[in-house]
Amino acid sequence: MKFLQALILGNLMILSLGLSAMHHENSPESTAEAWIKAFHTGKQESIDFVTKHMASDGINAPGRYVGFGFTYNPNAEPGTMVVTGIQPDSPASKVLKVGDAFLSVNGVRVNERNMGKLNFRGKPGEEVKAVIERDGKRQNISVARGVISTAYTKEQVLGNMNTALAENWKPDEANIVEVMSKDNVVYVLHWAKDTDEDSGLPYEAFTVTRFIFNEEGQVEWIGNLSEDRFVLEQQGYTISR
């Protein structure tokens, strides 16, 4: 009888431990950590994870920047910059339409070599003059840079991910430093080392990613706080007035 009682008690303990491990495996902390690991692994792994774990009404808020507030597909026809999306209430929303093609920016002609170096960024309020092509006709535009607060829906996030190049996705090195949580909010501190595509120079940086989970355990909000200035300084850039 004692043996039978011990056997039952042992099985109950094993079941309890199994349920505890299962709960931990599906916890917000483990999901957030696995999310970052997926993005450190590859493009398809990241797409699969976002598809499964981001809420249908989830929002990705990668941060703020000074600029126009539009997106384009860098993997489209070489040397072309065609507007694919416009941030609501941004400077771009006042003058651009999806399908507009940039021909020059502040007198610099758009080509395959300078796509990422055109003068869209800079001091807020400064005017940027550009030439675009719309419906087969050239048009001059002038836009004052503004502060853009980005926010993307799940559909937009997956759309942006699908247009990215798989070979440029994975960092050279990466690891997760710490995971902290309170209620439905999780913070993940992670580090990555990579090589800049334009300069060919290596850089490394820490990033804090903040997750907010809904009652179903899916990500309803995600945003980053990163060392953008430190990354630029490692490429030899300086910030001055």
Side-chain angles (χ1 to χ4, degrees):
M1 181 66 71
K2 289 183 179 180
F3 172 76
L4 182 59
Q5 290 176 339
L7 182 62
I8 293 173
L9 180 60
N11 286 336
L12 287 174
M13 290 178 65
I14 292 172
L15 177 61
S16 175
L17 289 171
L19 290 174
S20 176
M22 186 181 299
H23 173 73
H24 176 72
E25 185 178 330
N26 296 322
S27 67
E29 294 92 338
S30 61
T31 300
E33 185 172 352
W35 180 299
I36 299 300
K37 287 182 178 178
F39 273 75
H40 287 169
T41 302
K43 174 181 175 178
Q44 193 56 52
E45 291 85 351
S46 303
I47 291 174
D48 292 343
F49 206 89
V50 170
T51 301
K52 181 178 179 180
H53 293 282
M54 189 173 188
S56 58
D57 59 348
I59 293 295
N60 176 28
R64 298 185 297 170
Y65 67 92
V66 177
F68 275 24
F70 75 93
T71 57
Y72 71 97
N73 182 1
N75 303 317
E77 184 180 347
T80 63
M81 180 178 283
V82 179
V83 177
T84 57
I86 299 173
Q87 189 74 19
D89 301 320
S90 66
S93 67
K94 300 176 177 62
V95 296
L96 292 178
K97 294 182 179 180
V98 171
D100 288 347
F102 278 90
L103 303 178
S104 67
V105 179
N106 276 351
V108 178
R109 187 173 181 82
V110 176
N111 60 53
E112 188 175 359
R113 296 184 301 276
N114 66 8
M115 299 288 279
K117 303 175 183 178
L118 295 169
N119 199 15
F120 291 109
R121 302 288 182 93
K123 184 180 178 181
E126 283 186 346
E127 293 285 332
V128 176
K129 296 181 179 180
V131 179
I132 63 171
E133 183 176 309
R134 177 182 297 169
D135 300 326
K137 297 180 180 179
R138 292 193 173 204
Q139 183 174 328
N140 295 317
I141 62 171
S142 181
V143 185
R145 298 189 191 97
V147 177
I148 313 299
S149 297
T150 54
Y152 300 109
T153 64
K154 181 177 183 178
E155 181 181 2
Q156 290 172 322
V157 169
L158 290 171
N160 291 338
M161 293 170 72
N162 275 301
T163 61
L165 291 175
E167 56 265 32
N168 295 333
W169 190 280
K170 182 181 177 181
D172 297 336
E173 298 178 43
N175 61 57
I176 292 176
V177 180
E178 190 173 31
V179 180
M180 297 174 288
S181 66
K182 182 179 181 181
D183 300 326
N184 65 330
V185 180
V186 180
Y187 294 88
V188 181
L189 173 63
H190 48 106
W191 170 89
K193 181 178 181 181
D194 211 346
T195 303
D196 182 72
E197 294 178 37
D198 294 324
S199 68
L201 296 173
Y203 66 88
E204 54 94 7
F206 287 96
T207 301
V208 176
T209 302
R210 181 176 186 258
F211 296 83
I212 299 178
F213 288 82
N214 61 19
E215 293 181 354
E216 287 72 39
Q218 290 193 305
V219 176
E220 65 178 10
W221 190 95
I222 179 174
N224 290 327
L225 179 63
S226 58
E227 296 183 304
D228 292 340
R229 176 169 177 168
F230 181 51
V231 170
L232 290 174
E233 289 173 341
Q234 291 175 81
Q235 306 303 308
Y237 293 99
T238 59
I239 299 176
S240 59
R241 297 183 64 183

